[in-house]
């Protein structure tokens, strides 16, 4: 039986939930497709679409609770992603620059705002301070653009994100103080309550959340549950922020910082977090912002036009001067200065919060009985125009300068092109090793490589019927994990009576640079595996070999201890192997603690100056002290050993005993053995040997530029 829709279901505004959601989805789908052709940022298109279909446009949709709730999630999502994607090593390195930008972008518009409010608009001092705080804050509404273009790791973006938190906190503190003074509540108890609330909130989120998250990710492997856990953390942090007396967006940002190291940049969970946010929640927020815009009020009276024009000039002008001051102070390039201005010029969330609170505070009544508000209706209407204009400028400026940064980065990449390919092969055999190996491969691979990972299973020709089904099952699991992180993993099945020969033949056929072998955490190193390693894989060593033992997800490891033998830096493809360590640090945020001789540590420190990671360096000259070092390892720490074959100059006899020692002492820890290639005819040996012998930092710079960028 056919169901005929009633005509009333199409009356405006739409009430049917299916129709409402369909309209929103059509807007989200069509805006990017249509506007990308004319070089207009799709973020702006979503805001304009919201204004058109909203209550102040054609009244197709109302800004009801469903739009507000989903839009609020989108705003929290933007701030959460900013904290989640930020490079913590660069964030720590640039913390004083973030504070400098935060000071510029708060103080400059704030001073202009006070002067304009008191001397031009003739507001009282209390209203002037609140009016000025509107321009000091900003919303990272165009952050999805820099995320999409892949420049979130840029130093200017890093500094802007850090400065955003500072200036928003200061602006919202001004709001709290002015409201308190209006109601007569600013006293010693007020300051104690506010300070204690903020400190307790920050401690719970920044210390408690990582502990809870690490425990959860260790215990729960279900992907859906992990994503829901992330949403719970976002809203819980937002709620705690509100209880502490500050805005929810600060809580969302700190939640991102807290979970930063637990959600690697290349993981499937990160892919899900970004996908859902960019597909649903963030577009809903932009549409909900557009629904606030009412063009008619801009022409209501001359006072509204005057106030709106003044607000736009102060806000945009102040943010521009702050970005120029930041660019000049820290010697950034013009595109970097431009992206600082683009990201910081949009006013939305904190502006709405400030204006709404100020508008609802009634100081008294006029002779005619009309309410006297802390911020009048002209400011309320002017803020709506400010949101529209600032978001438009922010979208265009951010997109333009982000594209310039991408272009400059691409030119550098071409000029310093990587002389070697990277092809990673996973030797898949045991079901228990599939997830750990695949996730580690996603961490160590280069960020731009999406089709350079292979998974191999050798089928014994004598039992190929049953083994073929098993091989398909194992390889499909690897492929699915890669697909969830947008990485194409090529499954390779090979029939052979000798596993080692089969793997070596695949290495030659696919030009493999890195072979990864997984150790079952329950079986550990078996005598047969140790024999095959030293008498098989290493004897046919034409690729770096990585032997991985995992008892916990790589995302939950807080620190890696990297042990390097003497002369390790002189080996062929040392830098290629070291790059894997760098990628682990950059993609997971884990701290790296390097142990090695003076020469080795000196070289690695020189690289860290060019490509920063969170690392510390300790001189370690006696391999016999390895047992003491390992004995001091704590929970959630992992070990990486740079190993060597007998023919290599960094070889030590003690290395032969490493498997037995690790079996006995590191049963409950993750560890990775790295065997760099040792064949002397390799084309990489000359370069790395020259650098190792001469300690030539110029040559180091060249190789770093080629490999580590």
């Amino acid at each position: 039986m056919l169901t005929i829709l009633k005509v009333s279901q199409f009356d405006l505004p739409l009430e049917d939930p299916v129709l409402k959601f369909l309209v929103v989805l059509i807007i989200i789908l069509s805006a990017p497709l249509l506007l990308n052709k004319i070089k207009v940022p799709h973020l702006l298109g979503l805001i304009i679409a919201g204004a058109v279909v909203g209550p102040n446009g054609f009244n197709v949709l109302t800004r009801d609770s469903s739009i507000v709730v989903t839009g609020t999630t989108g705003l929290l999502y933007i701030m959460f992603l900013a904290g989640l994607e930020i490079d913590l090593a660069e964030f720590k390195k640039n913390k004083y620059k973030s504070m400098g930008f935060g000071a510029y972008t708060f103080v400059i518009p704030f001073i202009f705002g006070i002067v304009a409010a008191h001397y031009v608009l003739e507001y009282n001092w209390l209203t002037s301070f609140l009016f000025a705080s509107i321009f000091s804050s900003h919303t990272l509404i165009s952050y999805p653009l820099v995320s999409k273009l892949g420049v979130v790791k840029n130093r200017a973006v890093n500094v802007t994100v850090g400065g955003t938190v500072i200036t928003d906190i200061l602006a919202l503190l001004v709001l709290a103080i002015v409201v308190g003074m209006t109601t007569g509540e600013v006293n010693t108890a007020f300051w104690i309550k506010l300070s204690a609330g903020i400190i307790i909130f920050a401690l719970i989120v920044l210390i408690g959340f990582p502990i809870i998250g690490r425990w959860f990710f260790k215990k729960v492997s279900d992907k859906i549950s992990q994503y829901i856990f992330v949403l719970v953390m976002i809203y819980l942090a937002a709620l705690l922020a509100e209880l502490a007396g500050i805005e929810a967006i600060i809580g969302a940002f700190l939640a991102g910082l807290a979970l930063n190291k637990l959600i690697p940049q290349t993981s499937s969970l990160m892919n899900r977090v970004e996908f859902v946010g960019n597909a649903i929640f963030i577009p809903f927020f932009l549409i909900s912002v557009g629904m606030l815009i009412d063009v008619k009020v801009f022409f209501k009276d001359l006072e509204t036009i005057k106030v709106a024009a003044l607000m736009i000039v102060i806000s945009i002008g102040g943010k521009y001067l702050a970005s120029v001051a930041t660019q000049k102070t820290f010697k950034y390039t013009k595109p970097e200065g431009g992206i600082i201005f683009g990201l910081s010029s949009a006013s939305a969330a904190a502006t709405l919060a400030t204006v709404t609170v100020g508008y609802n505070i009634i100081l008294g009544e006029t002779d005619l009985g009309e309410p006297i508000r802390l911020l009048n209706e002209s400011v309320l209407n002017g803020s709506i125009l400010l949101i529209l204009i600032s978001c438009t400028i922010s979208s265009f400026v951010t997109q333009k300068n982000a594209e310039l940064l991408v272009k400059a980065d691409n030119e550098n990449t071409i000029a310093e092109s990587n002389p070697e390919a990277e092809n990673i092969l996973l030797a898949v055999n045991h079901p228990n090793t599939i997830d750990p190996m695949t996730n580690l491969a996603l961490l160590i691979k280069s960020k731009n490589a999406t089709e350079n990972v292979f998974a191999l299973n050798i089928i014994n020709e004598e039992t190929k019927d049953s083994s073929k089904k098993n091989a398909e099952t194992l390889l499909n699991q690897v492929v699915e994990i890669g697909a969830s992180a947008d990485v194409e993993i090529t499954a390779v099945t090979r029939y052979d009576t000798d596993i080692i020969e089969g793997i070596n033949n695949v290495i030659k056929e696919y030009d493999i640079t890195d072979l990864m072998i997984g150790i079952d955490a329950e079986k550990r190193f078996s005598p047969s595996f140790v024999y095959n390693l030293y008498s098989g894989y290493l004897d046919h060593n034409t690729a770096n070999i990585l032997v991985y033992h995992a008892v916990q997800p790589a995302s939950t490891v807080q620190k890696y201890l990297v042990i390097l033998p003497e002369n390790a830096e002189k080996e062929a493809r040392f830098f290629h192997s070291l790059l894997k360590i760098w990628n682990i640090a950059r993609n997971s945020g884990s701290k790296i603690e390097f142990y090695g001789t003076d020469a080795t540590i000196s070289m690695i420190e020189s690289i860290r100056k060019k490509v920063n990671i969170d690392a510390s360096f300790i001189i370690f000259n006696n391999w016999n002290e390895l047992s003491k070092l390992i004995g001091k390892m704590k929970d959630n720490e992992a070990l990486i050993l740079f190993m060597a074959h007998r023919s290599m100059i960094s070889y030590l006899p003690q290395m032969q005993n490493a498997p037995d020692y690790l079996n006995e002492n590191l049963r409950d820890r993750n560890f990775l053995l790295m065997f760099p290639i040792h064949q002397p005819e390799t084309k990489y040996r000359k370069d790395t040997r020259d650098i190792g012998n001469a300690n030539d930092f110029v040559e180091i710079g060249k190789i770093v530029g080629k490999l580590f960028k």
Side-chain angles (χ1 to χ4, degrees), residues 571-586:
E571 298 292 358
R573 295 185 84 177
F574 166 76
F575 289 101
H576 178 96
S577 299
L578 188 63
L579 175 59
K580 307 307 175 192
I581 310 300
W582 237 257
N583 286 340
I584 289 175
R586 290 190 291 191

Side-chain angles (χ1 to χ4, degrees), residues 247-262:
E247 195 65 23
I249 56 176
I250 306 301
F253 177 79
L254 291 188
L257 287 182
L259 299 181
N260 184 288
K261 294 184 177 182
L262 295 173

Side-chain angles (χ1 to χ4, degrees), residues 440-471:
L440 181 65
L442 296 177
L443 281 181
I444 67 174
K445 74 176 190 65
S446 298
K447 63 178 181 179
N448 294 325
T450 58
E451 300 178 355
N452 65 331
V453 182
F454 302 83
L456 168 67
N457 184 268
I458 302 294
I459 299 177
N460 191 315
E461 290 184 328
E462 297 176 0
T463 58
K464 57 185 177 183
D465 290 337
S466 59
S467 297
K468 183 177 181 180
K469 294 179 182 178
N470 182 59

